[in-house]
Amino acid sequence: MSILVLNAGSSTLKFGLFEPGAREPQVAGNVDWDGPAQSAELIVRSLGEPERRQPCEATDHRSAASLVIKALSEPGRGSSPIRAVGHRIVHGGQAFVESVLVTPDVAKAIASLSDLAPLHNPQAVAVLETATASLPGLPHVAVFDTSFFAGLPRSSAVFPVPFEWYKERGIRRFGFHGISHSYCAGRAAEVLGRTPEGLRLVICHLGNGCSAAAVRDGRAVDTTMGYTPLDGLMMGTRAGAVDPGILLHLQQREGFTAQELDHALNHQSGLLGVSGVSSDFRKVEAASLEGNDRARLALEIYAARIRSAIGALSATLGGLDALVFTAGVGENSARLRTSVCEGLRFLGIELDPQLNAEARPDADIAQPGASIRVLILHTREELMIARETGRLALKQNA
Ligand code: ADP
């Protein structure tokens, strides 16, 4: 009996099959249909076996979800039958403050949130619809990236704009990457050998999208992402926070349309926009090392934004016990971690250079005597979704 987790990205579908209680999936993988390979590819990693890659027919999220479910339902596959399905949903809006069992009404409500997150929710809805149609007898659970931030204090949740925007239009800070932040908050306590109570954390999730969150007693108290996942830190192609006056100027004086601004801020900004090289951190890092000045500037801005977010979030917490780096960049770039932390010695953050260069997640890379611990944690969004699915659908912890 296992739990299938489906996690829709922009042109990928990640999946994992978990036995209840297991930390590692029996089978995990992804379908990519817009990647570097010439055709769509199904990539499967089974526990204890080498990775298998095969061309497949997927062209979108629906066909990818059908393909994954068919592949995992084949008899003789060696793993136990699927008993429940967990879905990652980026935006839960005001309606969903925690994970829920999917009913037809819940599915409708999630679909109606697509306007709030047009780049993220429609893909998840396509996967949810396909999976509920293909596996109709099973419980399906929706797990939201916004839930972890549903209880943000008002001073963080409410923007300083006309109050009616909040009351009547629901304009508030939602926060995102909550599944990752929530996993890392729990895992940080485990690695530090403490309980979440009394623990003050700043967690930096640095992947294609980037956000930082302040966590006290295991609960989020502030975060850099806002009403949409466009706010806050500099990202791969997203700008992060910019002076809104720039947008007004470009619209009113330069004739930019809302669609043009949307495209520029979501797809042509961030690391890609400044460096002109790529949205991929590794490529920008490589170009910078070869002397590309715009790539170097992009990395300087990227690190500076993270540094100032850590400062601000630590101040919100009134002090800091541990700083956490996670996701593709946070887990892998020792150079970025050095660059961020070098400016934060005054707070008591001191990296051990050798540990920073050599340690693999999960690890503590702060100097032994430093007052603030610095952790690199491998984020486990799929595991978190499997746990939530097990809790709600099977009434047990995965
Ligand atoms: P997503 O947000 O799509 O889940 P990831 O968490 O996988 O993305 O992060 C993708 C980012 O991580 C990319 O910018 C990639 O360049 C960066 N990354 C992955 N591996 C490394 C590495 N070894 N060094 C530096 N950056 C890395």
Side-chain angles (χ1 to χ4, degrees), residues 186-254:
R187 181 68 184 145
E190 263 173 34
V191 170
L192 295 169
R194 294 183 52 170
T195 58
E197 283 68 41
L199 192 59
R200 295 164 303 177
L201 302 168
V202 169
I203 301 167
C204 300
H205 176 109
L206 309 172
N208 284 312
C210 301
S211 69
V215 177
R216 185 194 293 123
D217 302 328
R219 284 191 292 278
V221 293
D222 202 2
T223 186
T224 54
M225 279 183 166
Y227 180 69
T228 70
L230 184 53
D231 200 3
L233 302 177
M234 177 177 177
M235 310 182 211
T237 61
R238 278 174 264 167
V242 293
D243 172 3
I246 298 170
L247 312 179
L248 298 175
H249 167 79
L250 291 175
Q251 268 191 316
Q252 292 166 352
R253 310 263 172 232
E254 306 274 344

Side-chain angles (χ1 to χ4, degrees), residues 14 205-209 279-282 285 327-329 332-333:
K14 291 191 208 162
H205 176 109
L206 309 172
N208 284 312
S279 63
D280 189 303
F281 190 90
R282 274 168 298 196
E285 213 173 31
V329 178
N332 292 299
S333 178

Side-chain angles (χ1 to χ4, degrees), residues 7 9-10 12 14 88 177 205-210 236 238 271 278-285 302 326-334 336 379 381:
N7 179 357
S10 54
T12 63
K14 291 191 208 162
R88 177 194 180 193
H177 292 142
H205 176 109
L206 309 172
N208 284 312
C210 301
R238 278 174 264 167
L271 289 172
S278 173
S279 63
D280 189 303
F281 190 90
R282 274 168 298 196
K283 292 189 180 150
V284 181
E285 213 173 31
Y302 187 89
T326 191
V329 178
E331 292 172 32
N332 292 299
S333 178
L336 180 271
T379 192
E381 286 161 315

